[in-house]
């Protein structure tokens, strides 16, 4: 027993000796990078790495480096030639892609990240409405490192906001999988402020179109169960009412409509009224409010689904769902059926609370 314990201890010791050590003070750790299209089929690669001020406690700025080349790996080596601390991508948290580059396709750039063992599969990706480099050049975060600001912006809105989750792993899964297409958050720079302006939709690895805030809100509800987010509706008297989603559930069902599949989406929302401009609602008015929300969500959802079919993209993964329920599913046949697919959306809204004011 003692001999076995000694051998295990020796093995662990030898394995730890194989790990290449890197001292933090001797490497450059970028938290965010940006890729843009460049002339002659090249890319412009930009990194933003934190630069701490020794004389100012808690003060941090960014060091920006940008170069043009054919591959990001070669560009990184060229950057190292002007740095006294080599670049290490182990802490990379956000990757930004310019819209023009995304429209040409991101498969090659994704392949670089996926081959790198140091790159986390949970890093956030985003498309920039314009050049991605311009966001890193903007002074949108004076008190927080730019990479961490962007990571927190995306992470907060994915976990508790309107943005559907789509990390590097999620994008790869949707791109490589059958019967689905990926999507990414769309960032916009306005007056040196970064905001999430919508959702960038892809056909395979190529950006084709974007959704606005309202469409993105409904798409997140259709993608999976959620318990965050606010819905707003205009009433007949011209005033607005806002409700909070305290728990929504969505499920998909597939049946046969003659020889073609038929998909039914059932969406149930439990909501609380959080803003009604001081208006009190009797029972009959509450039902009318519920009806307006159900009608609006159904119309927006069906318009979205029709838009996806017209553009021949499937960000909801309807093809993948039908494939999981269908024997001998054929991808080529599905592509022919998708544009005329019979989809039905049923929305049920439950008004659970009117707030603490009676």
């Amino acid at each position: 027993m003692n001999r076995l314990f000694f051998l295990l201890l020796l093995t662990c010791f030898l394995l730890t000796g194989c790990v290449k050590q890197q001292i933090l003070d001797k490497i450059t750790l970028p938290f965010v990078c940006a890729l843009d299209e460049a002339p002659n089929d090249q890319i412009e690669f930009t990194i933003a790495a934190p630069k701490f001020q020794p004389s100012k406690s808690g003060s941090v700025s960014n060091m920006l480096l940008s170069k043009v080349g054919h591959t990001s790996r070669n560009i990184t080596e060229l950057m190292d030639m002007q740095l006294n601390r080599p670049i290490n991508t182990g802490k990379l948290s956000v990757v930004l892609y310019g819209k023009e580059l995304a429209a040409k396709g991101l498969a090659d750039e994704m392949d670089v990240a996926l081959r790198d063992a140091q790159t986390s599969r949970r890093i956030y990706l985003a498309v920039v409405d314009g050049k991605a480099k311009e966001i890193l050049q903007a002074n949108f975060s004076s008190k927080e490192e730019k990479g961490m600001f962007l990571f927190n912006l995306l992470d907060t809105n994915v976990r508790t906001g309107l943005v559907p989750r789509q990390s590097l792993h999620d994008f790869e899964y949707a791109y490589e999988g059958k019967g689905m297409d990926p999507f990414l958050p769309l960032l916009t720079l306005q007056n040196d402020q970064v905001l999430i302006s919508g959702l960038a939709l892809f056909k395979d690895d190529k950006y084709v179109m974007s959704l606005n805030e309202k469409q993105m809100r409904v798409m997140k509800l259709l993608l999976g169960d959620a318990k965050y987010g606010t819905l707003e509706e205009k009433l007949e008297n011209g005033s607005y009412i806002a409700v909070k989603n305290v728990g929504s559930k969505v499920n998909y069902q597939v049946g046969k409509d003659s020889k073609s599949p038929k998909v039914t989406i059932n969406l149930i929302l439990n909501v609380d009224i959080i803003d009604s401009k001081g208006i009190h609602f009797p029972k009959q008015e509450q039902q009318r409010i519920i009806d307006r929300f159900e009608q609006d969500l159904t119309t927006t959802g069906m318009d979205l689904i029709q838009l996806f079919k017209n553009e021949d993209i499937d960000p909801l993964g309807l093809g993948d769902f039908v494939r999981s329920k269908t024997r001998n599913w054929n991808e080529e046949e599905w592509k022919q059926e998708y544009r005329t697919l019979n989809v039905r959306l049923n929305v049920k809204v439950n008004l659970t609370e009117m707030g603490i004011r009676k």
Side-chain angles (χ1 to χ4, degrees), residues 80-314:
D80 281 340
M81 295 177 68
Q82 66 183 86
L83 293 171
N84 61 344
R85 299 173 181 177
I87 296 171
N88 183 295
T89 58
K91 293 295 289 183
L92 191 64
S93 302
V94 180
V95 180
L96 306 177
Y97 299 98
K99 185 186 285 188
E100 291 185 0
L101 178 65
K104 284 192 169 183
L106 299 180
D108 291 342
E109 308 312 323
M110 293 286 178
D111 185 68
V112 176
L114 291 168
R115 289 177 183 272
D116 189 352
Q118 291 183 327
T119 303
S120 169
R121 296 301 188 269
R122 294 187 296 175
I123 64 174
Y124 283 115
L125 314 176
V127 174
V128 176
D129 191 3
K131 289 183 69 67
K133 176 183 177 180
E134 293 177 354
I135 281 190
L136 298 188
Q137 291 175 327
N139 185 28
F140 59 83
S141 173
S142 58
K143 296 183 179 180
E144 189 176 9
E145 195 276 331
K146 291 179 179 178
M148 291 308 300
F149 177 91
L150 292 171
F151 174 82
N152 290 329
L153 173 70
L154 294 168
D155 188 59
T156 299
N157 282 277
V158 164
R159 290 186 296 105
T160 63
L162 310 179
V163 183
R165 177 173 293 278
Q166 192 79 169
S167 62
L168 174 62
H169 170 77
D170 298 321
F171 190 98
E172 178 197 19
Y173 181 82
Y175 169 58
E176 297 288 350
K178 296 181 179 181
M180 64 181 83
D181 288 300
F183 51 84
L184 292 175
L186 182 67
L187 301 183
T188 301
L189 184 66
Q190 292 184 359
N191 301 320
D192 276 346
Q193 295 295 315
V194 179
L195 60 93
I196 303 173
S197 57
L199 206 63
L201 304 183
F202 287 73
K203 173 63 177 176
D204 296 326
D205 68 322
K206 296 179 174 62
Y207 165 79
V208 292
M209 64 173 295
S210 64
L211 301 182
N212 60 31
E213 168 268 323
K214 181 178 180 180
Q215 293 170 321
M216 178 172 61
R217 188 190 305 266
V218 175
M219 181 170 165
K220 183 165 185 175
L221 294 174
L222 296 178
L223 283 168
D225 298 347
K227 57 179 180 179
Y228 298 103
T230 302
L231 300 172
E232 187 181 74
E233 189 65 45
K234 186 177 182 180
L235 302 179
E236 293 178 354
N237 61 5
S239 63
Y240 284 83
I241 183 173
V243 297
K244 178 177 66 175
N245 176 21
V246 295
S248 67
K249 293 187 177 295
V250 62
N251 70 77
Y252 289 60
Q253 297 175 348
V254 61
K256 282 287 184 179
D257 184 6
S258 65
K259 293 184 179 180
S260 301
K262 175 184 178 181
V263 176
T264 301
I265 305 174
N266 298 305
L267 174 62
I268 301 175
L269 287 94
N270 297 313
V271 301
D272 293 348
I273 293 180
I274 56 174
D275 188 347
S276 61
K277 304 295 184 183
I279 302 173
H280 300 279
F281 301 105
K283 287 290 184 181
Q284 62 271 23
E285 186 64 22
Q286 292 177 27
Q287 186 58 49
R288 294 174 67 180
I289 292 171
I290 290 173
D291 292 341
R292 292 182 73 88
F293 274 108
E294 289 179 347
Q295 181 181 359
D296 190 24
L297 287 169
T298 302
T299 301
T300 304
M302 289 304 298
D303 288 346
L304 266 182
I305 293 168
Q306 189 59 50
L307 178 64
F308 298 156
K309 292 196 292 183
N310 292 341
E311 295 292 334
D312 198 25
I313 57 178
D314 192 1

Side-chain angles (χ1 to χ4, degrees), residues 342-354:
N342 187 347
V343 182
R344 182 178 178 183
L345 174 60
N346 300 318
V347 178
K348 173 64 177 176
V349 175
N350 298 317
L351 186 59
T352 58
E353 290 287 345
M354 296 290 291

Side-chain angles (χ1 to χ4, degrees), residues 22 31 35 46 56 58 76 117 215 227 233 235 273 285 336 341 349:
Q22 297 193 59
F31 291 161
L35 293 97
T46 306
K56 300 179 181 179
T76 303
Q215 293 170 321
K227 57 179 180 179
E233 189 65 45
L235 302 179
I273 293 180
E285 186 64 22
Q336 298 298 321
L341 178 68
V349 175

